[in-house]
Structure formats: C-alpha cells, structure tokens
C-alpha cells in the first residue's frame, strides 16, 4: 500500500493539494498522473451537507507522518510506550497532539500485528505500517459541534469504492488510537475511505476558570471550541469551587446519546461529499449508495451508535455493520424475551446501564476480600489497592444497605445484576480504572444536569498529578498543562497520568477533609476513607429521578435494523457491557421485531471481555478485537463476492485463555484465538428466534 510518491508538506483548507504518484496498475486511472482537489467547489449535484463546516485538510506522505501511526510506525509502537513530547509544552502543535493520541503501546503477545491489526509479515524497513493519504477534519452543527474526520488513503479504489464509518469507542473523540489502528486500519487496508465521528462527545473539556476549551483539532482556545457551557454565576462558582472543569458529555444538557445514530449517518454523508468533490464527474456524481459499499465498524459505545445508525437508515445507505461489545440498551416495552442456557430457561429482563453500573459502584469496594482469583492466579488483580474496604462495608451497614456488613454479603448484592463468579475477578480493576465516573457520565447526561448543579455533590476538578504520596486531592494543573489534556484524554473520567495518579476526575466536594477523588474520600467519619459512600448512594438514587428516567427513555434502541447485514461480537466475560443487558437482549428483541427476515448474527466469545488481552488479564482474557476484524472479513466477503459468501451462523466461539502467570502469559496464537466458523458444530450454535435466545452450555 505504501506507493512511491513525491513528498508534499501539510497544507490548509485554503490551498489546493496536488500530488502525483506511480500507481498500482490495478488501481490506476486511465491517465498516469492526476491531481486531487480539495478546494470544495460547488459541484452540481454534490451540495455540501447542511450544518457541515470543513476545518482543515492535511496530506501525509507515509514517511514523516501518516494516517495510522502519526509518523511513529508499527515497530516503535510495539517496543515500548514513550510519553508524548512537545517542543513547547504550553503550546503543542496540532500534529504533536495528534501523535500523542495515536501513541499507544501495542502488546504484540496479544496477537495484534500477526492475527489482527497491522500485518507484520508485510512490513519492511521501508514500510513500517505507515499509510499515506489525506485527512479532512470537519464539525457538524454549530450547537452540537460533532467532530468528524475523513481519511482517504493514497490507493483509494475509486473503481470499486467503499466507505468504512467508525463512530468513536466509548466517550472518546477523534484519533482514538485503537479506532484508527484497528478499525480504521482495516478499512484503509481494503482501499476504503474511513470516516470517524465523536458522537457529539469528543474531548469536550472546558476550563471554567480560564474559559478555555479545545477545538476539534485539539488546540486550546476560547472560541469555536467543542464545548462552551453558559455559566450564569461564573465568578461565584470559581470562588467556591476553584480548579473545576466542565465535560461535554456530563454537562452539555443535550443528552447527545439520543442522536448517536444520526451522527454516524451524517459522517457517511460527509464522506460521500468529499469523495465526489475529489473525483467529480461531468454528468453526475461519481459515488452514491448504489455503487459504493458502506460498512460501519465500531466498539463499545461506538458499537451502540452503529446499531442505532442501522435503525435510522431508511434509505439503505449502509450495507453492513459489525458491532463489538455494543453498549446498547434495548427498549423491550411489552415484548417478552427469553434466554435459555442448557436446560435452564428464564425471562430475559435487561437492566439499564445506569442500574447495574450504580449497583456495582456501590458494592464493589466492600466486596473486595470476598472475590476469588481466576483459576490461573493466586491473587485478584488490583485488590491490594483497596486498603479501606471494610470501611465501605461499615458505611453501607450504617446506611441500611447491608445487614451484616460483610464483603460476602456485598458480593451477593451484585449477583442479581449479572456479576457472576466467572466475572468477579475483574471487578477491583474495573472499579479502580473506571471509578464512579462510569455511571455518573450517563446519569448526568440523561438528566441534563448543569455543571453548576454539582449533581450528588460531585464536580470535575484537576487533581494531584504526582503519584508520590497521592491522595487525589484538588490541585491546580502543574505537572500537566491544560493544553496537553486533549492528547492524553480518552474522553471520559478519570484522565490518568500513568497508572497511579489522575489529572482530571470527579471529586467529592464535601469530603470531610478537603475535596478529593472518591477513591480517597472520607464522607462518613473523619479519618476513615470509605471511597465516597454518600456520593455512591446518591448516584444510586438518581436513577429514579424523573429527569434521568426521561433522558434514559430517549436513548433506548428499537431492535429494528431494517434487515441490515449485521454481526454483533460480544465477550462472554464482559463486566462493562454485561451480555444479558446489552447484546443478548438486543438480538432477542431483533428476532421478535424483524422475525425471519433478520440478517443479524450474534457471535459470543468465551474468555474475552471489554479489555484488550494485556496485563493484568493477559493470562485470562483474549483480545476481542481479533473477532471484530474476523467478523469484518466475513461481512466483506459477503458484500463483495459474486457468489455472496454466506454470513457465519450465530455461535459461541470457544476461545482458549493463554494461561500462565499474570503479566507473563505466553504468546497468543490461533490455538487461543479460535476463528469464527461459517458453519460451527451444532453444540456451539446460538439459536435466536421470536424473542428467545438459546445459548450452548
């Protein structure tokens, strides 16, 4: 894919970008040389989509910089994680910020680089996974300011055009490294244009004190930023709550999740517009839904957005969807759903994300010592960090939420919510890394809470950034300038500085000592850390607030995919997107709504969850992204082959954990990552019919 070209420097939207190259003869134009024009002329039949603003155009030569690795290269990414560097730490360039977002350590032992992602066998000293091409950055709608990014590889196949849409994973914005280096890379390798959108969340961080936020390309400014709340009592709020921040998902008061599907479709319209601008025809537009393959490929919240786009796509623009671990909340209404596993049959009544996540946030800190390690380990990862677990138990007993106040009793409170014995060893890590911020961000969005309301006496603050004697207390930004946060944030809280200190996080305003992170908070008895019990209880109660209930109703999914070819891939060991409450319920509902006409397939993978197969769970959990890519290959073969290769049947994939010691698991191979089969053994089939899902033992 790395074609020999004449290197050209980055240019802005005001310029025309021209370049010539020696093309692959299979992809070549009839003319040996041609130019690419991003001047955005008004081409008849190709009007600019309403509400779209083009921010910039950049071309990357595939050497000094590229579409996928930000000029770092695959080899460097697999050797070690290198902290981002900035020539001027308080004024990083857009390219430095972009590289900071794309800079992640790739653990090749997970099989990334061999069985999925970068194709190591095709890399050479002259081609280290860097792909040349152009990026067009845009925003949609002046109020929501949805970020969109289109990548057109140098070898885009205009004779067999395709577009891959990638809504951002979870709460992240553009340039999520795994979105670009796994999902986007898949599209670029197949000579497709790839378009990303941030679902109206992005890195919308706003410094209340200075009035600064981030533009769509990461620069710090006071105007044209992704999120700019109106704070009526601004000076008073700063005085009472110094070093505080507003976050777009939490405080925009727009509940953006209700429009995630629309944003995906708008990003596809943006891609069509740019491609037709690039390759204009004298008589008609070159690319449209009848001659261009459009696929959506996403994970987590992005996968939920992908399914919602399928539900909204009345014009049949989308040809297929792969949704990995979708955070989807089906609206079952009066539809009775049933789940059967082996000989056990019961009603499938999915709990909402805010229901099971607030229950988890309330009881996990107490349950720690009752959690058993996996069969491969002697210890539970991260359990040793909970030094004050029994204080939470005591606080829950005092509040009447536990009778005996024991860890075992707390663990039993989690069982009805889907946290089963085979998942529990992940809970200390899950709570520590996601914290109270996981349920809070959704509840705040659904209730459309203003930043100044400090819902449940929480606010977002800059915290102690140094891990030395770390106590999570509120401190002004010092070690990490605000200007760098865009490149370090993945869109939700906490924003981490390494593994043991945070940069931004939710803090308990009424901590008995001073405001600080809930993991270090004292809310019941001074001198006794209880992990912010009062805040966790308040948040649990908020799910019954009418304004939260109303906002939650607005985001529920219908289950009607309009007969689109869709493959849902879900890790059976997923503690973040619990299978019964998300994918299993959704596919059962879809079978009730669409009946035999449904083209939805469900792939559930044993020994996989929401994590990427790295330590501390490298020995127990596999990389779910292998299966997302495998599903995309099946979908691609189906939509492109003349004989229409059949989609694989719904199935349980019996993937095998790597085993060994945590942090030292052996290399993952095809013996671990067992591929999806077109026709699996009957004992592995998942049957879905008329609202009932039947899982094998």
């Amino acid at each position: 894919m790395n074609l020999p070209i004449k290197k050209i420097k980055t240019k802005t939207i005001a310029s025309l970008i021209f370049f010539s190259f020696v093309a692959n003869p299979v992809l070549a134009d009839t003319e040996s040389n041609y130019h690419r024009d991003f001047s955005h002329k008004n081409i008849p039949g190709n009007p600019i989509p309403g509400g779209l603003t083009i921010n910039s155009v950049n071309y990357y030569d595939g050497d000094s910089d590229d579409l996928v690795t930000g000029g770092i290269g695959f080899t460097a990414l697999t050797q070690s994680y290198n902290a981002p560097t900035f020539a001027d730490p308080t004024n990083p360039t857009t390219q430095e910020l972009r590289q900071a977002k794309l800079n992640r350590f790739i653990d090749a032992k997970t099989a990334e680089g061999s069985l999925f992602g970068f194709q190591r066998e095709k890399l050479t000293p002259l081609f280290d996974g860097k792909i040349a091409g152009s990026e067009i950055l845009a925003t949609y709608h002046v109020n929501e300011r949805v970020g969109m990014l289109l990548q057109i590889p140098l070898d885009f196949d205009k004779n067999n055009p395709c577009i891959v849409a990638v809504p951002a994973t979870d709460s992240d914005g553009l340039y999520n490294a795994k979105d670009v280096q796994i999902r986007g890379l898949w599209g670029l390798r197949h000579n497709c244009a790839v378009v990303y959108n941030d679902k109206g969340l992005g890195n919308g961080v706003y410094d209340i004190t200075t009035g600064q936020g981030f533009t769509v390309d990461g620069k710090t400014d006071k105007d044209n930023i992704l999120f700019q709340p109106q704070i009526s009592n601004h000076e008073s709020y700063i005085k009472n709550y110094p070093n505080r921040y507003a976050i777009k998902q939490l405080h925009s008061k727009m509940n953006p999740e209700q429009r995630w599907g629309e944003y995906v479709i708008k990003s596809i319209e943006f891609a069509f517009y740019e491609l037709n601008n690039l390759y204009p025809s004298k008589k008609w537009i070159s690319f449209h839904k009848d001659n261009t393959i459009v696929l959506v490929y996403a994970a987590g919240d992005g996968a939920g957005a992908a399914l919602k786009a399928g539900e909204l796509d009345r014009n049949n623009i989308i040809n297929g969807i792969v949704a990995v671990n979708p955070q989807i909340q089906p609206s079952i209404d009066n539809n009775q759903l049933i789940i059967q596993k082996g000989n056990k049959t019961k009603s499938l009544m999915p709990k909402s994300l805010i229901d099971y996540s607030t229950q988890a946030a309330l009881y996990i800190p107490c349950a720690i010592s009752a959690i058993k390690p996996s069969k491969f380990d002697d210890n539970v990862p991260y359990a040793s960090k909970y030094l004050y677990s029994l204080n939470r138990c005591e606080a829950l007993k005092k509040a009447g939420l536990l009778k005996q106040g024991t860890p075992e009793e707390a663990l039993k409170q989690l069982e009805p919510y889907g946290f089963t014995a085979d998942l529990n060893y992940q809970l200390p890590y899950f709570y520590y890394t996601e914290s109270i911020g996981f349920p809070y961000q959704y509840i705040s969005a659904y209730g459309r809470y203003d930043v100044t309301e400090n819902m449940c006496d929480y606010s977002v603050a800059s915290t102690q950034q140094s891990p030395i004697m770390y106590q999570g207390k509120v401190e002004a930004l010092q070690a990490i300038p605000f200007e760098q946060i865009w490149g370090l944030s993945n869109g939700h809280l906490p924003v981490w500085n390494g593994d043991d200190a945070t940069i931004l996080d939710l803090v308990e305003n009424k901590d008995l000592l001073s405001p600080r992170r809930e993991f270090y908070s004292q809310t019941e008895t001074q001198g006794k850390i209880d992990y912010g019990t009062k805040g966790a209880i308040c948040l649990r109660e908020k799910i019954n607030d009418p304004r939260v209930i109303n906002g939650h109703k607005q985001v529920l999914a219908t289950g009607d995919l309009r007969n689109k070819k869709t493959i849902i891939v879900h890790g059976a060991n997923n503690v973040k997107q619990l299978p019964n409450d998300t994918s299993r319920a959704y596919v059962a509902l879809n079978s009730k709504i669409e009946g035999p006409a449904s083209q939805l397939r469900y792939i559930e993978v044993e020994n996989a969850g929401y994590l990427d197969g790295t330590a501390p769970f490298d020995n127990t959990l596999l990389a779910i992204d292998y299966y997302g890519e495998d599903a995309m290959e099946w979908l691609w073969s189906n939509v492109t082959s003349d004989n229409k290769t059949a989609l694989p049947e719904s199935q349980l994939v019996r993937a095998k954990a790597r085993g060994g010691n945590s942090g030292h698991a052996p290399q993952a191979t095809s013996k671990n990552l067992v591929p999806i089969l077109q026709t699996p053994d009957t004992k592995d089939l998942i049957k879905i019919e008329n609202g009932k899902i039947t899982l094998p033992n």
Side-chain angles (χ1 to χ4, degrees), residues 310-331:
E311 294 180 352
L312 285 179
D313 182 24
R314 297 177 179 84
N315 295 321
N316 296 316
I317 299 170
I318 299 169
N319 298 96
I321 299 168
V322 167
V324 181
N325 285 334
Q327 186 66 76
I328 193 75
Q329 301 182 75
S331 175

Side-chain angles (χ1 to χ4, degrees), residues 255-271:
N255 193 13
E257 186 178 342
Q258 67 177 320
R259 298 182 64 185
W260 281 358
E262 174 192 340
Y263 297 150
V264 176
I265 292 173
K266 289 296 181 182
S267 74
I268 295 169
E269 292 178 1
F270 163 48

Side-chain angles (χ1 to χ4, degrees), residues 6 8 17-21 34-36 38 59 134 154:
K6 179 181 178 182
I8 298 178
I17 298 177
F18 300 94
F19 56 84
S20 61
F21 63 96
Y34 66 95
H35 73 271
R36 294 190 173 190
F38 288 103
Y59 170 70
S134 298
L154 194 58

Side-chain angles (χ1 to χ4, degrees), residues 84 95 159 242 271 282 316 330 362 388 424 430 451 499 520 560 650 668:
Q95 296 310 313
N159 297 314
K282 293 182 179 179
N316 296 316
L362 190 60
Y388 311 101
N424 288 344
F430 173 65
V451 62
D499 295 331
Y520 299 87
D560 185 359
S650 296

Side-chain angles (χ1 to χ4, degrees), residues 10-50:
T10 300
K11 296 188 181 296
T12 64
I13 187 69
S15 305
L16 302 184
I17 298 177
F18 300 94
F19 56 84
S20 61
F21 63 96
V22 180
N24 182 324
V26 175
L27 306 176
D29 284 0
T30 54
E31 298 177 352
S32 59
N33 295 308
Y34 66 95
H35 73 271
R36 294 190 173 190
D37 183 352
F38 288 103
S39 58
H40 297 91
K41 298 175 182 177
N42 185 18
I43 298 172
N46 188 45
I48 187 168

Side-chain angles (χ1 to χ4, degrees), residues 66-85:
D66 71 291
L67 296 175
V68 181
T69 74
I72 301 170
F74 169 75
T75 301
L77 291 175
T78 59
Q79 290 174 343
S80 64
Y81 174 75
N82 298 305
T85 57

